[in-house]
Amino acid sequence: MAHGNNVLRRLASRPKAPPNICRSCLLNLRQQRFISTAEAPSPIEPSFAERSVPSPHAFSLAQTAYKIKASVLLSRPPVLTRDLTLFEKAYFLYQRRLNERLALPFTRYFYYQRGTLGDVNWKRRMKERQTPARDIGDYNAYSKDLGWNDELLVGASESEPETQIEALVRDAEAEVKPGEQEDVEETPGKKQKQKVERPMPRVTEADRTGDFQSLNRALTRTLYLIVKGQGAKARWEFPSSFVEVKESLNTAAERVLVQSAGPNMNTWIVGNMPIGHRTITYSQKTLDKETGAERLGEKVFFMKGRIIAGQANLENNKFGLVDFKWLSKDEIEKELHPRDWNPVRNILLER
């Protein structure tokens, strides 16, 4: 039986089938032949990753040329929004006055019952400021003669934040009777008013005293950590260290922060890729004491980091650092050497 099947297969494999084989047998034999051919194992080609991996000899040559160094640009983001320009201040005041003029009149008796204390206070405040809004200055939006004059005049201070804060605080201070409340401002010959908590100033004590080690300064700018070593030739620089064996740049950056600025900071290294680099070429080849290979220079990779909480502490650091500062971009330019400033001047943020 097997011999007959083999004969039929040989006849079916011929380009022109003999006439003594039926059509159905011929089709079945040809399909079986095609299936057996498809199931035959094909040679496995190497993948692109395997073909693109260079030889270990190339790696050894690259490692002996330059030594890798990780430098951390640790930053504190802005805490407050930036200061407004003169045009922006005038524009926002104009928008508030325009909204007051186009809005429907304030229905006083819907909110205050006639003759109540709230109604009396409302009439007193309307008499003082002439408008329901509290921070748009002396402006009557419903006046036929002056309602259209809603732009800021030259030299006027209604658009300044300090003037608006004083107007809001003065409006919030309610008159109280003597002995009615404890937190009142007692002035002889004047009515007593309840004290109102004022907002914190944008300029802090660290700004006034010039404390560059405080994070509570320059709240509208991005601050970066720079450190300085010991000795007459020491210069201001970013925390950095050479990458150890089997260590990634991200891990090296985390180690650098702990060994240089202490463990009292909650930091975050943003990503695994550097945001910049620089190449330092030695004037003459140096011998690496650990591996015995010649070094042509250093390749420094800058890693981006953020401080979330805590403060730098140089006590017991492993790099001999003696001082640190939190500076903005324009302040860093004055402290760094020009060769250290040029690689990072387009990386640091303006604010």
Side-chain angles (χ1 to χ4, degrees):
M1 187 69 181
H3 178 71
N5 290 336
N6 293 334
V7 174
L8 291 175
R9 289 191 182 93
R10 286 196 300 268
L11 294 175
S13 61
R14 295 179 181 178
K16 187 175 181 181
N20 56 353
I21 300 178
C22 65
R23 185 176 183 83
S24 60
C25 295
L26 183 63
L27 292 176
N28 291 334
L29 290 174
R30 286 182 176 176
Q31 288 178 358
Q32 292 177 4
R33 179 175 173 237
F34 294 153
I35 293 174
S36 61
T37 305
E39 291 178 352
S42 58
I44 301 175
E45 296 183 359
S47 62
F48 176 78
E50 295 175 350
R51 286 186 279 112
S52 60
V53 172
S55 62
H57 182 67
F59 277 116
S60 61
L61 292 178
Q63 291 176 357
T64 56
Y66 291 90
K67 200 167 184 179
I68 306 301
K69 198 173 187 179
S71 181
V72 186
L73 305 182
L74 186 65
S75 62
R76 186 223 65 187
V79 181
L80 302 177
T81 57
R82 64 174 179 83
D83 297 328
L84 299 178
T85 62
L86 295 176
F87 174 78
E88 291 173 338
K89 295 176 184 177
Y91 175 77
F92 290 141
L93 179 65
Y94 166 73
Q95 287 291 325
R96 289 197 296 271
R97 286 183 173 181
L98 181 63
N99 178 74
E100 190 71 16
R101 180 157 58 94
L102 298 179
L104 294 175
F106 181 78
T107 55
R108 184 180 71 190
Y109 296 118
F110 180 81
Y111 296 94
Y112 304 109
Q113 188 176 358
R114 192 187 300 271
T116 58
L117 180 60
D119 184 44
V120 174
N121 289 333
W122 173 258
K123 289 190 292 184
R124 176 182 59 82
R125 293 175 179 177
M126 281 295 295
K127 185 177 180 180
E128 294 176 357
R129 65 191 185 208
Q130 299 181 3
T131 178
R134 300 172 295 174
D135 57 348
I136 61 175
D138 188 9
Y139 172 72
N140 189 357
Y142 308 113
S143 175
K144 296 182 179 179
D145 300 330
L146 301 177
W148 57 271
N149 191 14
D150 49 11
E151 296 185 6
L152 182 69
L153 301 179
V154 178
S157 61
E158 287 86 352
S159 62
E160 295 297 329
E162 293 78 9
T163 304
Q164 297 175 3
I165 290 174
E166 291 296 330
L168 294 173
V169 171
R170 184 173 59 251
D171 186 80
E173 293 176 346
E175 296 181 2
V176 296
K177 296 180 180 180
E180 184 177 353
Q181 293 185 3
E182 297 181 357
D183 55 340
V184 295
E185 181 180 357
E186 297 183 1
T187 304
K190 294 184 179 181
K191 297 180 181 180
Q192 297 182 1
K193 293 186 177 181
Q194 183 181 4
K195 293 182 180 180
V196 178
E197 185 176 358
R198 294 175 175 268
M200 297 295 293
R202 297 173 66 91
V203 180
T204 63
E205 184 67 22
D207 291 321
R208 290 188 288 268
T209 59
D211 186 7
F212 294 104
Q213 292 188 349
S214 174
L215 283 168
N216 194 28
R217 62 173 295 270
L219 301 181
T220 60
R221 304 289 302 275
T222 299
L223 300 182
Y224 294 90
L225 176 65
I226 60 174
V227 293
K228 186 178 182 181
Q230 190 175 9
K233 296 183 179 180
R235 299 184 302 188
W236 288 102
E237 60 182 359
F238 297 100
S240 59
S241 174
F242 290 107
V243 178
E244 297 180 354
V245 180
K246 295 183 180 181
E247 188 180 39
S248 64
L249 289 175
N250 185 285
T251 307
E254 294 177 350
R255 177 181 55 81
V256 167
L257 291 179
V258 175
Q259 293 181 352
S260 60
N264 297 328
M265 291 192 304
N266 186 7
T267 58
W268 171 45
I269 303 300
V270 184
N272 297 320
M273 300 296 292
I275 58 176
H277 78 284
R278 63 173 297 194
T279 302
I280 303 175
T281 304
Y282 298 152
S283 58
Q284 57 183 0
K285 296 181 180 180
T286 60
L287 186 65
D288 194 342
K289 298 180 180 180
E290 297 179 358
T291 61
E294 293 184 350
R295 297 296 182 187
L296 301 179
E298 303 173 4
K299 288 191 176 182
V300 185
F301 293 90
F302 299 102
M303 301 296 292
K304 181 179 180 181
R306 289 285 196 185
I307 180 172
I308 303 174
Q311 176 59 292
N313 184 8
L314 301 184
E315 186 178 357
N316 299 327
N317 71 87
K318 297 185 178 181
F319 301 107
L321 305 176
V322 296
D323 196 6
F324 71 93
K325 290 182 180 180
W326 291 96
L327 302 180
S328 59
K329 180 179 180 178
D330 51 355
E331 295 170 341
I332 291 177
E333 184 179 5
K334 301 176 183 178
E335 297 291 346
L336 294 186
H337 192 274
R339 287 179 295 182
D340 299 332
W341 165 253
N342 290 330
V344 299
R345 62 179 180 180
N346 294 328
I347 300 176
L348 305 182
L349 299 177
E350 294 288 344
R351 64 166 302 273

